[in-house]
Amino acid sequence: MNPPDDTTAQRAPRHVQPDENERTVRIVGMAPARPARLADEFFFIAHHDQTGRPRLHAAGVGLGLAAALLLELHEAGRVTFDRGQVRVLDARPPADALQHLILDRLVAEAQHTATQVWLAFVADTAAEQVAQRLWQAGKVRPEQTRRLWRSEVVYAPTDINTAAWPWARLSFKLRRYEQLDPFDLALAGLVAHTGLDRYVLDGAPYAAGAHLRALLDGAWPALRDLLADLGTAIGHSVLTHRT
């Protein structure tokens, strides 16, 4: 994935007036500059933009983040995906510490090449690792909460605009049947294959979902290959979660 170098802040609409059956998208003021990392944006979509609570079961969040982290390595030219296999193209360490950690494991465990194996492996720790990366960047803060008889840590966003911008941007573009750049196409693919499109397109006409599917059908081969394996892994996780 080679998205354009687009780090300039984009202005979101103050008040979007969609069709009457569409969900209204409101972001006030200047939208934050797009984070450079795909997993960061997927993390924000997969969690409530005020409370930090997950919108998916733990396996779905973990697998989506695992795919996003592998795609970060693909974007950096380190790996590619082909017929269900991960291939390392460049073993040089990336600048990002988390990407470096995952690439080191891929290189060290070169006998394992199945994409689904690596999705499962990275998913085990992906949520905590991405949350820690965001915390170090000042974008989330850990908060202790209680649910029934147990306590847990959630990572609440430090700025609601930063947290809401990824889903708002995708929702805005898809409801208007716009083309997506490579970064947003990869993000939309992760959203669609984890079931978060139900949230991003809540209230949108059927044609918006059809537009998303058409965009993904035309994606570059490596992205389609990874998303197919992600979809299979998500399907298995849903069956396990239900039983």
Side-chain angles (χ1 to χ4, degrees):
M1 180 171 59
N2 295 302
D5 183 11
D6 180 14
T7 55
T8 304
Q10 302 179 50
R11 183 175 297 277
R14 289 182 179 273
H15 187 181
V16 175
Q17 290 285 1
D19 296 340
E20 62 179 10
N21 65 336
E22 290 186 22
R23 178 179 180 172
T24 300
V25 177
R26 289 188 179 96
I27 298 290
V28 177
M30 184 71 74
R34 174 184 297 169
R37 303 181 183 99
L38 190 64
D40 294 358
E41 292 220 333
F42 181 81
F43 184 95
F44 281 133
I45 296 177
H47 294 81
H48 193 279
D49 49 38
Q50 295 184 51
T51 67
R53 291 193 178 279
R55 292 189 168 105
L56 296 171
H57 56 84
V61 173
L63 286 167
L65 286 170
L69 288 167
L70 290 173
L71 279 168
E72 287 184 15
L73 289 174
H74 178 57
E75 176 186 2
R78 300 307 196 269
V79 304
T80 192
F81 314 100
D82 181 29
R83 290 169 290 186
Q85 307 294 310
V86 182
R87 290 196 295 113
V88 175
L89 302 176
D90 185 347
R92 290 177 301 167
D96 178 71
L98 181 50
Q99 293 175 14
H100 187 178
L101 178 66
I102 296 170
L103 182 60
D104 278 354
R105 293 304 300 267
L106 282 162
V107 173
E109 304 287 342
Q111 70 274 24
H112 301 297
T113 60
T115 303
Q116 290 200 41
V117 168
W118 283 105
L119 284 171
F121 174 77
V122 177
D124 281 343
T125 55
E128 182 64 23
Q129 288 173 321
V130 174
Q132 289 290 323
R133 187 169 73 175
L134 286 166
W135 181 32
Q136 291 168 6
K139 296 181 184 299
V140 299
R141 60 180 179 273
E143 293 183 352
Q144 195 83 21
T145 63
R146 283 198 68 83
R147 297 188 69 182
L148 297 177
W149 58 86
R150 72 181 189 276
S151 63
E152 62 183 8
V153 175
V154 298
Y155 289 87
T158 55
D159 179 70
I160 189 172
N161 275 350
T162 298
W165 179 238
W167 74 257
R169 187 181 69 248
L170 285 184
S171 185
F172 183 81
K173 290 181 178 180
L174 291 171
R175 290 166 195 263
R176 283 150 183 77
Y177 317 113
E178 295 181 12
Q179 294 298 309
L180 301 180
D181 64 28
F183 185 100
D184 276 350
L185 185 59
L187 183 60
L190 297 172
V191 164
H193 283 75
T194 55
L196 285 168
D197 54 329
R198 294 191 300 269
Y199 168 71
V200 170
L201 293 176
D202 183 24
Y206 175 83
H211 175 60
L212 171 57
R213 291 189 292 274
L215 290 175
L216 293 175
D217 286 344
W220 66 97
L223 177 60
R224 294 201 309 268
D225 198 274
L226 175 64
L227 291 178
D229 281 315
L230 173 61
T232 299
I234 289 290
H236 290 161
S237 75
V238 169
L239 290 176
T240 302
H241 183 68
R242 287 176 178 171
T243 57

